[in-house]
Every structure is written in C-alpha cells, then in structure tokens.
C-alpha cells in the first residue's frame, strides 16, 4: 500500500518494504529510509524519523550536512561520485536543481499486470545551468524501487552529457558487497568482499550487457546468505555500456548507484532536446532469496510476461552445427517429437554462403545450395509433428565476407579511418544508419512472414570495439542500443505472436532492458550441467526460472569435455525453461526413453516451477547445494539436492527445506524421475524408502532432513506436499 501523508514526506510501502522520501524544502527528494517495512506512520512520525536521522556538524566539514538526493549533487555538499556530469563548453558543469513540483499517485496497472504501482514524479530545474530534470520513481507491487530521469537542455547552445547516475542509500550495517563477473562459457561467477570506504565501481564498455556484467550489485550485512541478513541490490536495465557502483564516505554515507556508460560526445543535447536514462532498479530483502523474489514478482506481473506453458525446445546447434541437411534435420525433428519436445529451432547455417562462421552474416536469404526449396520442407515436416518452428538470426552482425558488407562498407560501426579488430570473423552492423536499419527490418519481417516463424533465437556474438558511426566516426553505442530496442519493438508489433530469445555469446545480454522485449535469455553457451548449476543459480538473482533457457546436452559436454549422467543433466535443466541440445538420432534407445520421462516430469511441474517462489538453503558444506521452488500458496514444493563435489563429511548430514508454511504439515517423498540416488554406499537412507514422512514446515525449515549420500555431480528431487 502507499500513503502520501504530507507534502513534506512520502511513505511508499509494498510487500514488506518501505521507502520514505524527504521532500522538504526545494531540493531534489532525499531517501530517508529504504528497507524493511516500517508500518503505518503518522505525519509526526515521519518528521521525527527524518529528525533522528539528521547528523551533527563535525570539524572541518561544511556548515550544513550534505543532502544526498537520488541524483547526488556537489552543490548540496556531496563530494562523492556526482549524479549528473556534463558541461556547456566547459560551463554549467555543476548543477543545483530545485523542485518545481512533486506529485505522488497510485498508477492503475495495465490490463494483466499486478495491482497498483506507486509513483512519484518530480519536476526540477536549474535556471543558471539552463537544465530541467524530470524524475520518475516507482514502487512496484513486489516491492521493487525503480527510477529514471529525463534531462532537458533549456539553455542557449548545446549541452554535452557525460553521465547521469541515480542512487539509493544503504545503511551502515551493509558492510559486505557481492557482485558477479564471468566470461564466455562461465558467466555469473560471484565475488564478495568488504564494503570499505571509497568507491567500488563496475564499468562495462563492451557495447552490450557483457558476460562479465555484475547483473545485481548487492550490499548486505556481514555474512548474508540466501535466507539470512539484510541485503540491498541495484540493477541497471540497459543493454549497452553501463556503470554500477557502491560508495561509502568517511561521513558514514553509503549508496548504490548506476546508469548508462556514455562515450565521449555520445549525447550532445541541442536546445530543447532531452536524454532519458535507463530504469535503475533497487531491491531490498531479508536474504538474497527475498531480494531476487522481488525481481521475479515484478517480471511476472508484467502484461507481456510469457503466460503460456514454456515449450520444451530442441535447438539444433550442438546436434549438427553448420552441417545442415534436410534428411538429418527431419530425423532429428522426429526424435524430438518422440521424447515430447514442443518446439524445434534451426540454428546457424541456413542462410546465404554460411558454411562456417567466416562468411554470410548479413545476407539473410535462405541458401538455395543447401535448401533448394527453401526452408518449407523442413518447416512443414516440423509442423506436421505438432512442433513450433524457430529460427536463429544474428541481426546486428555482418561478416566482411558477405554481399551486404561488400555493397555497404559504410554500414559497419567504425571510427578513425580504421576497421575494428575482428571477433568471430565479424563486424557490427551500424543500425544508426536508417538504410541499414530499414534493410534489416525488411529481411526479418519477410522471413518471419514467409515461414510463420514462432520463435527467434536472436544472437549477438561479439563486443563492440571502436564503435563509431560514419561518416564522422562519432561514438555510436548509445544510438546502436536504442536502435536495437526499436527494431525488436517494430518486429514484434508486426508479428505480436512471435517469441524472441536474447542470446549473446550465451549470457552476454541479460538485463531488464532487453527483457522488456524478449521472452527468455540463453543463459550460457555452456550447458555442462555442473557449470550450469552455478550459472543458473546466480542468474536467478534477477530472472525467474521460466526466463532461463536451460537445455539437456549430450553425455559429453561440448564446451568442457566433462561426462555427466542423463539424470544430472536433465535435473539441472529442469529448473529453467527446459530444452534439448543433443543429437537424439545418435542417442541410445534407453537414453531417449529416460529423457522422455524427464520431459514428461517437466510438463507436469512447469506450472509450479514457473510461478512459484525460488528458494535456496544456506548450507555449510559448499559441495552440497539445495534449491527449489515453493508454490505461491505454499501447498507444494519441489527441491533439488545437488552434490557438486566430494564433501569433507560423510554421510552428508541434514539439509533444510526453506520456504514452507511453518504451521502446515507436509508429506515428504522423493520425486520421480529424480528419485534414484547414486552414491558411494548401498546402505539405504531410511526416510527415502518409506511413504510415511509427515512433518511441519517449521521442522523441515529449521531442522531439515538427512540428505542422501551422492557421488559428485549428481542430483535428486524431493517433493513436499501439504497434507
């Protein structure tokens, strides 16, 4: 619920979270509290809250305490990272915005969305600098805080914007930081360290979100976990260059901030023109599960969030690579249908001149040498089996060895009279050129229409280097990102039923900007189940399972050479948008039958997996993980017990089952097909082999259960159902 109790203070509440804004005076609003719900507060209580939060004046400081707003300004005494940086030929480098109006209201949600969003709109101006600032701040039904700002040049002459960063404060008890990094085939690796004085800055200049993107920048109490400790996290919803920071000063002020990363001269505002920042999201929680749950709830409340059951998807890449052949692919589609797949996606290699990755990108015409009758024979066969048909594109890229690059070399992002270094033998198509944009839209539109494509795997396989826009060579990443958004939006307007996956060297474009217009992400090009346990675990800080592409690969992982059992591979993929990346025509009969069991289990479980609350146990043994999904009404839960490596302890001991109703009684049992514990002993686990276990959620969450002894890289499933 939200309350506007008084013109000076605003108290916004939702889902156990409170945000209190100090709007006194004429400065930009200042956050007094962002965190745990404070309950209903009177006008006097809000004023008292602000009073007891005010600090004393210390020696050799300004004569008034710094007022750190959501756009921190040096003119208000803030000497940390400035919220707005820019200038007008060297002038107007420092701003002093005053609020002309502050309006708070409850916004009725669009059809299909969650109840009401609570919004604050601030109109501010700095007449001396000739700038106006419009702030939008919202609290969503799930308790997320999101904000963005629009800067307008109202002065004489152009204004060069260098950066616009929005911030949220974190309290002194947040003494530890968590962020994520990674690389191709190993995204979402966590790193933790002390939140010391100074600035911890994560900058991305790759021109896309990046496989090393921090995703969510988290500050929390020392030792926080998935279920314990207060945590505050920030996400920048932008698919291009971006900045994220955690900053603390000797005066005791701590904050999280973020915004777009702008290259020199990239945003230059003539008089009357504006720049709008990306949305910056803040999530608070008691533990990382609650923090993540707010993101999941927000995404699920969107009107355009996928509502239909997420189809079991077979993608052809690791089955055939570039060796496309109609007979082979029809046999693969037959095998996919046999095990229960619902969607067939033809990957790279179908278009003009594309026999390997050195040529053809940009020439989006079906290659008649490989497909003399076009893709129609394959599409018709796939549809005759009851499967949807999907197709791979990499629209933003171009090979120098392509008809398009030879005809339009000026359509390549470049600067300085030089060609950027190649990556995967490709360059980037400059969508800032209206003609390049129009050509690409026409090709995508024509192919989607001709084949009635249900699903696009939209890939993006390289970073943007020397990304200049011709003919002047000015920086072009901002315009490129905005153009990609427009392109996807236009294509979806023309084909509203098509679904789109964001793939970018795997998980290189995972953010809430691209997910405003796509239906899932390809979580990683690595589908080694052991690697995927970590990758999916930490990508889940932002995204719920139904948005995480998770496929069952061949017995030997193509990217690591590891060999895993089918049950471990399928049990890992189960907790995402389940699919297959395996040449099933070579699979043994018994493997196909076993895979069909997992596909059937996924279809039965996906209503729960794709609507429930994701939970993780904070277990002391780093080699034993437990995660699961609990139904919204807590009537049922499915957990995975995962042995990632050998443990110091044998047997493994008890694991807790979090998220259940503490006062309800649950029937506990192994869940097929994940009910076959493979381990170093033949001794039976007593509770595993009886159907009589009934315990309260409080006991299961507090004391837990004995975990089965498993070999490394094995997983089993446990179900709890309310009696």
């Amino acid at each position: 619920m939200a309350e506007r109790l008084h013109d000076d203070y605003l108290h916004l509440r939702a889902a156990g979270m409170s945000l209190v804004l100090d709007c006194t005076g004429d400065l930009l609003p200042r956050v007094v509290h962002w965190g745990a719900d404070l309950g209903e507060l009177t006008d006097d209580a809000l004023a008292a809250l602000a009073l007891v939060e005010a600090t004393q004046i210390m020696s050799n400081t300004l004569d008034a305490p710094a007022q750190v707003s959501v756009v921190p300004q040096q003119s208000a005494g803030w000497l940390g990272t400035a919220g707005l940086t820019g200038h007008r030929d060297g002038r107007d480098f420092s701003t002093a915005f005053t609020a002309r109006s502050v309006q708070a209201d409850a916004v009725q949600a669009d059809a299909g969305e969650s109840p009401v969003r609570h919004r604050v709109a601030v109109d501010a101006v700095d007449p001396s600098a000739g700038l106006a600032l419009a702030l939008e701040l919202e609290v969503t039904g799930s308790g997320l805080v999101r904000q963005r700002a629009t800067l307008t040049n109202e002065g004489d002459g152009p204004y060069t914007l260098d950066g616009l960063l929005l911030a949220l404060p974190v309290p002194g008890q947040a003494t530890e930081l968590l962020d994520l990094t990674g690389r191709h085939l190993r995204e979402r690796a966590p790193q933790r360290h002390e939140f010391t004085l100074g600035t911890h800055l994560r900058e991305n200049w790759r021109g896309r979100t990046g496989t090393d993107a921090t995703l969510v920048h988290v500050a929390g109490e020392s030792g926080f976990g998935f279920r314990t400790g207060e945590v505050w996290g920030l996400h920048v919803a932008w698919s291009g260059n971006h900045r994220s920071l955690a900053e603390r000063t000797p005066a005791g002020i701590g904050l999280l901030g973020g915004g777009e990363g702008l290259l020199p001269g990239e945003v230059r505002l003539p008089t009357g023109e504006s720049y709008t920042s990306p949305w910056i999201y803040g999530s608070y929680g008691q533990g990382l599960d609650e923090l993540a749950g707010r993101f999941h709830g927000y995404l699920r409340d969107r009107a355009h969030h996928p509502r239909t059951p997420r189809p079991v998807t077979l993608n052809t890449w690791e089955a055939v690579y570039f060796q496309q052949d109609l007979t082979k692919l029809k046999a693969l589609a037959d095998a996919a249908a046999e095990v229960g797949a619902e969607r067939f996606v033809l990957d790279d290699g179908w278009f003009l001149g594309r026999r390997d990755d050195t040529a053809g990108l940009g020439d989006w015409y079906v290659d008649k040498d490989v497909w003399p009758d076009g893709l129609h024979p394959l599409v018709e066969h796939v549809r005759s089996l009851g499967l949807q048909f999907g197709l791979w594109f990499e629209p933003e890229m171009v090979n120098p060895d392509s008809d398009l690059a030879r005809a339009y070399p000026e359509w390549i992002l470049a600067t300085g009279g030089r060609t950027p270094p190649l990556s995967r033998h490709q360059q980037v198509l400059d969508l800032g050129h209206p003609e390049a944009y129009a050509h690409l839209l026409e090709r995508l539109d024509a192919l989607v229409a001709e084949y009635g494509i249900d699903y696009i795997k939209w890939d993006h396989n390289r970073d943007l280097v020397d990304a200049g826009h011709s003919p002047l060579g000015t920086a072009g990443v901002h315009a490129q990102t905005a153009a990609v958004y427009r392109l996807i939006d236009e294509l979806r307007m023309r084909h509203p039923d098509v679904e789109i996956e964001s793939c970018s060297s795997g998980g290189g474009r995972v953010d809430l900007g691209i997910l405003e217009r796509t239906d899932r992400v390809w979580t990683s090009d690595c589908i080694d189940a052991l690697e995927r346990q970590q990758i999916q675990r930490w990508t889940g800080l932002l995204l719920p399972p139904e948005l995480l592409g998770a496929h069952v690969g061949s017995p030997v992982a193509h990217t690591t050479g590891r060999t895993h059992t089918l049950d471990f591979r399928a049990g890992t993929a189960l907790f995402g948008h389940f699919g297959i990346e395996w040449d099933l025509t070579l699979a043994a009969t018994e493997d196909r039958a076993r895979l069909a069991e997992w596909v059937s289990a996924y279809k039965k479980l996906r209503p729960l997996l794709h609507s429930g609350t994701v939970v993780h146990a904070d277990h002391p043994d780093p080699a034993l993980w437990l995660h699961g999904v609990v139904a919204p009404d807590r009537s049922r839960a499915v957990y995975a017990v995962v042995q990632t490596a050998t443990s110091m302890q044998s047997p493994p001991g008890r694991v807790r089952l979090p998220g259940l109703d503490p006062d309800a009684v649950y029937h506990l049992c192994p869940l097929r097909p994940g009910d076959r514990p493979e381990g170093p002993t033949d001794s039976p686990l007593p509770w595993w082999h009886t159907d009589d276990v009934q315990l309260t959620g409080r006991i299961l969450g507090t004391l837990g259960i004995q975990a089965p002894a498993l070999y490394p890289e094995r997983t089993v499933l446990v179900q709890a159902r309310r009696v």
Side-chain angles (χ1 to χ4, degrees):
M1 96 185 187
E3 303 165 4
R4 177 167 187 173
L5 297 170
H6 164 304
D7 286 343
D8 289 338
Y9 301 98
L10 297 173
H11 184 198
L12 308 179
R13 301 167 62 204
M17 186 280 307
S18 276
L19 180 77
V20 178
L21 294 175
D22 179 353
C23 302
T24 56
D26 58 2
L27 297 179
L28 296 177
R30 182 178 65 88
V31 176
V32 176
H33 169 79
W34 168 43
D37 188 3
L38 301 178
E40 294 188 15
L41 297 176
T42 64
D43 295 3
D44 290 342
L46 286 171
L49 175 64
L51 181 64
V52 300
E53 190 253 357
T55 63
Q56 297 172 278
I57 305 301
M58 305 306 293
S59 63
N60 201 32
T61 62
L62 298 178
D63 291 344
Q67 298 293 307
V68 185
S69 71
V70 293
V71 180
Q73 300 181 94
Q74 190 172 105
S75 60
W78 173 246
L79 297 177
T81 301
L84 175 63
T85 51
H87 63 95
R88 199 185 307 274
D89 292 331
R91 297 177 293 110
D92 303 329
F93 70 93
S94 180
T95 57
F97 286 107
T98 57
R100 292 185 287 200
S101 69
V102 178
Q103 297 181 343
D105 54 18
V107 181
Q108 186 58 49
D110 297 332
E113 289 190 346
S114 73
V116 178
R117 300 190 313 274
H118 307 300
R119 182 178 64 188
V120 178
V122 181
D123 175 30
V125 65
D126 181 346
S128 176
L131 297 171
L133 188 72
L135 287 171
E136 301 169 75
L137 187 148
E138 294 182 357
V139 171
T140 73
S142 69
L144 280 183
V145 178
R146 69 173 193 162
Q147 54 183 339
R148 66 179 176 182
T150 298
L151 182 74
T152 301
N153 179 15
E154 295 184 344
D156 295 331
Y159 180 84
T160 300
L161 177 65
D162 295 327
L164 181 52
L165 177 144
L166 287 90
L168 287 167
V170 292
Q173 61 261 37
T175 58
E176 189 174 347
L177 295 176
L178 165 71
D179 62 335
L180 305 175
T181 183
R183 57 169 174 80
H184 183 226
L185 306 177
R186 202 179 186 279
E187 300 89 336
R188 315 297 169 239
Q191 52 185 19
R192 297 177 72 137
H193 51 92
E194 187 180 355
F195 190 175
T196 55
L197 296 181
T199 303
H200 180 251
L201 175 64
R202 291 295 308 276
E203 291 186 307
N204 169 75
W205 300 104
R206 297 181 180 276
R208 55 175 171 169
T209 321
T211 55
D212 61 341
T214 186
L215 205 66
V216 183
H217 211 151
V218 179
E221 293 183 304
S222 179
F224 65 83
F226 283 99
R227 310 297 298 176
T228 60
E230 286 190 286
V231 288
W232 295 260
L234 181 133
H235 170 75
V236 180
W238 183 247
S239 307
N241 294 335
H242 59 275
R243 305 167 66 222
S244 175
L245 61 84
E247 192 161 73
R248 174 156 282 147
T249 72
I253 298 172
L255 57 79
L256 297 171
E260 183 181 3
L262 294 175
L263 293 170
E266 197 160 28
V267 174
R268 199 162 183 263
L269 300 175
T271 302
E273 292 200 3
S274 301
Y275 164 86
T276 299
S277 77
W279 284 106
I280 309 301
Y281 289 78
S283 184
Y284 163 80
Q286 286 284 345
L288 294 171
D289 279 349
E290 187 175 38
L291 176 147
R294 297 193 191 280
F295 285 114
H296 298 179
Y298 164 75
L299 288 163
R300 287 170 170 169
D301 285 341
R302 302 170 303 160
H304 60 277
H305 190 72
R307 302 294 174 195
T308 58
R310 299 294 77 213
V312 177
T313 299
L314 183 137
N315 189 72
T316 66
W317 177 243
E318 289 195 8
V320 301
Y321 292 104
F322 291 106
Q323 306 307 310
Q324 295 195 355
D325 171 81
L326 178 59
T327 301
K328 171 70 173 183
L329 289 167
K330 288 172 71 174
L332 186 58
D334 291 340
E338 175 191 321
V339 301
E342 299 160 301
R343 175 184 284 159
F344 183 92
V345 180
L346 182 64
D347 211 291
D348 194 357
W350 56 268
F351 49 95
L352 193 62
R354 188 66 163 178
R355 304 286 71 78
D356 56 33
D357 65 359
T358 65
L361 279 177
D363 295 340
W364 301 110
Y365 300 87
V366 178
D367 194 323
K368 296 294 185 181
D369 290 341
V370 179
W371 301 97
D373 299 313
L375 298 177
H376 293 289
L378 177 62
V379 175
E380 290 165 6
H381 183 75
V382 166
R383 292 231 165 87
S384 74
L385 297 169
L387 305 179
Q388 297 178 9
F389 180 76
L391 195 60
W392 179 95
F393 292 89
E394 194 171 358
E396 299 147 77
M397 300 296 157
V398 61
N399 286 125
D401 185 3
S402 67
D403 292 345
L404 186 72
R406 284 184 284 270
Y408 301 103
E410 70 277 12
W411 287 3
I412 293 175
L413 277 172
T415 191
R418 59 185 176 270
T419 303
L422 289 169
S423 177
R424 204 181 181 229
H425 312 288
Q426 62 197 51
Q427 298 286 4
V428 184
L429 191 66
D430 184 359
L431 298 184
H433 279 278
E435 298 85 357
Y437 178 98
H439 168 80
L440 190 51
L441 177 60
E442 183 278 326
R443 284 287 76 223
L444 292 169
D445 179 41
L447 286 159
V448 172
E450 179 178 356
Y451 294 105
I453 293 169
D454 301 295
Y455 179 85
I456 293 174
K457 182 178 179 181
W458 188 299
D459 213 340
H460 180 284
N461 275 315
R462 66 155 296 169
D463 296 331
L464 277 58
V465 180
D466 265 3
H469 173 68
S470 65
L472 299 178
T474 52
V477 173
H478 172 80
Q480 181 80 358
T481 308
V484 170
Y485 286 173
R486 289 197 310 274
L487 179 64
I488 299 175
D489 291 345
E490 176 65 23
L491 186 66
R492 297 201 69 155
M493 185 181 72
R494 297 184 184 189
H495 304 280
D497 294 329
V498 72
E499 291 194 2
I500 299 176
E501 172 184 82
S502 173
C503 176
S504 184
S505 310
R509 188 148 67 182
V510 177
D511 63 82
L512 297 190
I514 200 68
L515 277 159
E516 279 300 303
R517 40 196 53 87
T518 56
D519 301 281
R520 80 168 197 173
V521 301
W522 183 227
T523 318
S524 177
D525 280 345
C526 180
I527 52 175
D528 174 311
L530 182 62
E531 299 292 333
R532 270 303 187 104
Q533 284 287 337
Q534 172 168 284
I535 293 168
Q536 291 171 197
R537 180 185 184 93
W538 294 106
T539 309
L541 274 187
L542 185 68
L543 304 185
E546 63 269 28
L547 299 183
L548 302 178
H551 289 188
V552 180
S554 61
V556 179
H558 289 207
T559 55
T560 65
R562 282 197 190 102
T563 299
H564 286 133
T565 66
L566 175 53
D567 285 355
F568 186 57
R569 283 141 50 213
T572 299
L574 182 72
F575 290 87
H577 180 177
F578 190 93
I580 303 160
E581 197 94 10
W582 180 10
D583 186 354
L584 294 179
T585 66
L586 303 179
T589 302
E590 56 270 25
D591 281 347
R592 285 203 212 179
R594 186 63 173 165
L595 178 60
E597 288 187 60
W598 280 99
V599 170
S600 177
Y602 166 76
K603 290 178 180 179
K604 292 174 184 175
L605 289 170
R606 62 188 167 190
L608 165 63
L609 296 173
H610 297 167
S611 68
T613 302
V614 177
V615 295
H616 301 79
D618 289 318
H619 192 65
D621 181 357
L624 182 63
W625 290 3
L626 183 137
H627 65 90
V629 180
V630 181
D633 64 359
R634 298 196 285 183
S635 62
R636 186 184 180 201
V638 174
Y639 299 97
V641 181
V642 185
Q643 190 76 40
T644 62
T646 58
S647 295
M648 289 292 291
Q649 175 177 311
S650 182
R654 291 189 303 207
V655 291
R656 294 171 173 174
L657 304 183
L660 301 173
D661 180 348
D663 297 318
V665 176
Y666 291 87
H667 175 256
L668 194 71
C669 64
L671 182 63
R672 298 181 61 186
D675 59 345
R676 302 180 183 176
E678 297 179 89
T681 178
D682 294 328
S683 172
L685 179 62
W687 79 263
W688 195 266
H689 298 284
T690 179
D691 197 39
D692 298 330
V693 178
Q694 293 189 15
L695 292 167
T696 64
R698 180 173 285 104
I699 291 173
L700 293 172
T702 303
L703 300 180
I705 59 172
Q706 283 288 338
L710 300 173
Y711 289 130
E713 299 164 29
R714 301 292 196 277
T715 188
V716 292
L717 302 180
V718 176
Q719 175 179 263
R721 188 183 289 273
R722 182 188 287 147
V723 175

